[in-house]
Amino acid sequence: GEATLNPDLPKMIRFLNQREIGAVIPTNGIYLTDKILYELSQRPLLNKVQVSIDGFESTHDFLRGAGSYKKTLSNIRLLKDTGVEVSANMVIHDGNYEEYIPLRKYFWNEYGITLGRMLYTSQNITSVSPINECRLKEFSEKRKLQAKKNWN
């Protein structure tokens, strides 16, 4: 489930930080409260937040609800402003694979964040379809070309 919906999360972060243990919080980035941000900001070098992103606004909002993209980006900015390390991750599937490379560039240029990725290839999510083999090959070729450009 969504970690930030746990009402005890601020207490758990404080508990860990008092013992010099960092918290790594996976989140959709929508429900960060002032209490959570405060606790994370008390020891920003110990803590990390990993935000899930599903694509640009129309794709992300289709999967997470209207307005969720803007709220997620707003909370990424708040986290960055408090000094907390932020990473982002994208599950790549048939409905968003073409957005990965442009979104990765956007996240790096706008937030200094590398956008990680996972490939969705099974049938366990009903709102999207897995990447078929042809598109997976196309995506892999684009990634190779992009990597080659970056090294030159």
Side-chain angles (χ1 to χ4, degrees), residues 52-90:
S52 297
I53 195 83
D54 296 304
F56 284 106
E57 188 169 5
S58 62
T59 303
H60 189 84
D61 283 1
F62 174 77
L63 294 169
R64 307 245 178 202
S68 61
Y69 181 80
K70 287 181 180 173
K71 181 69 172 168
T72 298
L73 296 187
S74 173
N75 281 331
I76 288 171
R77 177 66 61 211
L78 286 172
L79 287 162
K80 295 287 287 180
D81 289 348
T82 63
V84 175
E85 183 180 347
V86 181
S87 64
N89 205 23
M90 180 175 172

Side-chain angles (χ1 to χ4, degrees), residues 52-64 89-104 115-121 125 127-132 135-136 138-139 142-143:
S52 297
I53 195 83
D54 296 304
F56 284 106
E57 188 169 5
S58 62
T59 303
H60 189 84
D61 283 1
F62 174 77
L63 294 169
R64 307 245 178 202
N89 205 23
M90 180 175 172
V91 175
I92 298 172
H93 53 77
D94 221 26
N96 71 355
Y97 75 99
E98 291 180 342
E99 296 177 50
Y100 174 72
I101 292 172
L103 193 63
R104 183 175 183 200
L115 181 62
R117 76 231 176 252
M118 295 182 287
L119 291 177
Y120 165 61
T121 57
I125 298 176
S127 62
V128 295
S129 59
I131 295 177
N132 64 40
R135 287 191 175 166
L136 182 58
E138 179 185 335
F139 176 78
K142 282 184 181 179
R143 290 283 299 136

